[in-house]
Amino acid sequence: MTLVASAFILVLPRRFVILPLLMGTLYMTRAPVIEIGPAHLTLVQILVLVGLIRAISKGEWVVGGLCRIDHFLILWAALLIGSSFFHTSDAWIFRLGMVWAQLGSYFFFRVFVQDVEEILYIFKALCVILIPIAILMLVEKNTGKNFFAILGGVDAISAVRNGHVRAAGPFAHPILAGVVGATCFPMPLFVWTSHRKTALVGLFAAGGSVFASTSSGPIMMLLFIILGLAFWKVRSYLHTIRLLALMGVFALDAVMKDPVYFLMARIDISGGSTGWHRAQLIRSSIEHFDEWWLTGTDYTRHWMQTGVYINNTQVDITNHFLQMGVWGGIPLMIVFVMVLFAAFGTVGKVLRENESASFEHKFLIWGLGAILFGHVWNFFSISLFDQSIVFFYLVLACIGTINLAMPFSGGEAKQVVSRIRESRYIVAKMNIVKGKSGIGKNTTFRGTLG
């Protein structure tokens, strides 16, 4: 899989290069690795490296230069590695590998996805790529046997909670498999008008993955994404909605016996949800704030009565924001939040500057923000730790690309000039008449100016 995907990354046209990485992420578990000294290179890390080699050799780079999201992510990576000096001696190796996979996959997408049409092409492709995963996960839910176990890294016998089989597919946990399905579920909607049959297949595949995971977290994430999409109709009142939501949180906190975040302890959609653990984890982190706020901590086992069976020093940190705090304290958590703020700010900025764009393009921009909105709420109930996080960075990268690829309202000509300079939307073949200046008779122009 690694050799074939690497070969395709090196030889495919740029717009197709992203497909081998997505297929490798979906069709391979994280267990197979290549060991080089202390490093254990996964398929994602290897493909990111191959993509870097291709980009350097062909002179390919991020369209339009770096944006705010890029800058904050680079700062996040620097803090993550830098704070490792306050932890165990081998922490920097683990974190370097994490940055390699996560920041690397983000810039992989930024380099090889460079306009709106290419984003839509990826969404259409995912409708098809997800089909085998959905089918195998649905079969797993019915039989209780995970067919990806032959690759290692996942249990052959599926997890069962309160009589419900929870399919994980190639991912390390059923919740992570459901998160991928929830992330991809809105994507078919953006290609509905042009490829309706493909979109229907994609909705089945993504929705089937969420259903087979039998996890409350992905279901709630999907509901928040749908809520975000529904806000499109009232986007002019979004500031008022946010203010009312904040007032509602304060009102609930005032009348509830427990802190307001204990609402998640009362949510159980799939049967057997562990919402109380997630709420109590937040409370415990506040009680032990002095232990982790500055540079993080290597020991959290005393925070909760339950721990992690593979690690006797940590509890199960089922909160992505809190995981940032455990790794690098409040500074790392703040920078990660700033990445999200930059992404949401980019969505709003691009929408304001593209009032004259088509409905399909504006709804795509809004939809990317809605998917990110679902991820933010999901981060309060899970910390992404396997290859599923690649899909979070895919959404971030698409937002960063749209920021620099969409035409600006009232300034379409400016974007046309930019496209000509980048030699991406127009290909010119010029035959210069010998001894004369100008363009020859046989000059042909191919491509679209928009």
Side-chain angles (χ1 to χ4, degrees):
M1 184 72 177
T2 303
L3 290 174
V4 172
S6 298
F8 278 126
I9 287 175
L10 292 174
V11 302
L12 283 175
R14 180 189 51 76
R15 67 176 304 200
F16 302 120
V17 169
I18 191 174
L19 299 182
L21 177 61
L22 291 176
M23 294 176 71
T25 302
L26 286 170
Y27 297 159
M28 184 67 68
T29 67
R30 65 172 184 160
V33 296
I34 295 178
E35 296 185 17
I36 302 177
H40 294 69
L41 304 182
T42 63
L43 179 139
V44 171
Q45 292 170 325
I46 295 171
L47 296 187
V48 165
L49 177 60
V50 174
L52 175 63
I53 294 172
R54 176 206 163 105
I56 293 175
S57 64
K58 293 182 177 292
E60 296 164 326
W61 185 233
V62 174
V63 59
L66 301 181
C67 63
R68 289 182 64 212
I69 304 173
D70 304 337
H71 293 146
F72 278 119
L73 270 176
I74 292 172
L75 178 59
W76 169 83
L79 277 176
L80 181 64
I81 296 175
S83 60
S84 64
F85 293 102
F86 299 96
H87 294 260
T88 57
S89 58
D90 60 346
W92 69 274
I93 298 176
F94 168 74
R95 298 183 185 202
L96 185 62
M98 187 189 310
V99 168
W100 185 342
Q102 297 184 21
L103 188 67
S105 62
Y106 171 80
F107 277 106
F108 188 103
F109 298 136
R110 288 282 282 118
V111 170
F112 297 115
V113 183
Q114 299 193 353
D115 58 43
V116 175
E117 283 69 27
E118 291 177 6
I119 292 174
L120 293 174
Y121 170 77
I122 292 168
F123 290 175
K124 182 176 69 172
L126 278 171
C127 292
V128 178
I129 295 172
L130 279 171
I131 295 174
I133 300 298
I135 293 174
L136 289 175
M137 286 184 63
L138 288 170
V139 172
E140 179 186 349
K141 182 173 177 59
N142 187 53
T143 63
K145 297 179 180 180
N146 190 340
F147 296 93
F148 287 94
I150 191 174
L151 300 174
V154 296
D155 295 328
I157 305 301
S158 305
V160 179
R161 178 178 291 171
N162 291 350
H164 302 285
V165 177
R166 309 176 71 196
F171 300 97
H173 195 280
I175 295 178
L176 302 176
V179 165
V180 173
T183 301
C184 296
F185 187 84
M187 295 178 181
L189 301 178
F190 306 126
V191 298
W192 179 266
T193 55
S194 57
H195 302 87
R196 184 160 298 185
K197 292 181 179 179
T198 304
L200 283 171
V201 170
L203 289 172
F204 161 78
S209 299
V210 175
F211 170 76
S213 69
T214 321
S215 303
S216 297
I219 297 174
M220 288 297 300
M221 176 182 172
L222 182 56
L223 291 177
F224 276 113
I225 291 174
I226 294 173
L227 178 63
L229 292 173
F231 280 157
W232 167 259
K233 290 292 186 180
V234 293
R235 61 190 183 281
S236 301
Y237 306 98
L238 199 58
H239 178 75
T240 303
I241 293 173
R242 287 197 298 260
L243 182 60
L244 291 174
L246 185 61
M247 293 173 60
V249 169
F250 283 123
L252 285 172
D253 192 61
V255 300
M256 288 178 59
K257 181 179 179 180
D258 290 317
V260 67
Y261 51 80
F262 266 85
L263 282 174
M264 68 176 70
R266 304 180 183 182
I267 298 175
D268 185 6
I269 298 177
S270 61
S273 179
T274 56
W276 181 89
H277 170 90
R278 289 162 169 79
Q280 182 59 35
L281 180 64
I282 297 175
R283 172 183 279 173
S284 297
S285 68
I286 296 172
E287 294 172 349
H288 297 275
F289 183 75
D290 60 315
E291 299 175 7
W292 62 271
W293 74 272
L294 184 57
T295 59
T297 179
D298 288 322
Y299 190 80
T300 60
R301 183 62 188 82
H302 58 298
W303 287 11
M304 303 279 288
Q305 293 181 354
T306 56
V308 185
Y309 71 92
I310 60 174
N311 192 332
N312 59 8
T313 64
Q314 300 287 347
V315 298
D316 191 6
I317 306 294
T318 53
N319 186 308
H320 205 76
F321 297 110
L322 184 55
Q323 184 67 78
M324 296 297 118
V326 171
W327 282 336
I330 291 296
L332 186 66
M333 183 186 293
I334 290 176
V335 173
F336 182 75
V337 171
M338 291 307 298
V339 171
L340 301 175
F341 267 98
F344 283 122
T346 297
V347 170
K349 169 178 170 289
V350 175
L351 281 173
R352 289 192 299 271
E353 293 178 342
N354 289 272
E355 287 295 333
S356 62
S358 65
F359 165 78
E360 289 79 7
H361 283 177
K362 288 192 292 185
F363 189 63
L364 170 63
I365 301 166
W366 184 268
L368 289 170
I371 298 174
L372 187 62
F373 177 66
H375 270 286
V376 169
W377 284 104
N378 189 56
F379 283 158
F380 286 102
S381 64
I382 189 65
S383 177
L384 303 181
F385 61 88
D386 70 348
Q387 71 269 30
S388 60
I389 201 169
V390 169
F391 286 83
F392 166 68
Y393 286 107
L394 172 63
V395 176
L396 275 185
C398 288
I399 293 174
T401 293
I402 277 185
N403 180 41
L404 298 166
M406 283 291 290
F408 298 98
S409 58
E412 286 81 358
K414 176 181 176 182
Q415 181 65 12
V416 170
V417 172
S418 175
R419 288 173 174 177
I420 293 173
R421 287 175 179 172
E422 294 167 6
S423 300
R424 299 189 49 259
Y425 282 78
I426 183 169
V427 178
K429 290 185 175 180
M430 299 182 179
N431 291 327
I432 306 300
V433 177
K434 211 168 188 180
K436 296 181 180 180
S437 62
I439 301 176
K441 295 179 181 179
N442 295 328
T443 300
T444 60
F445 290 87
R446 294 184 293 123
T448 59
L449 287 171

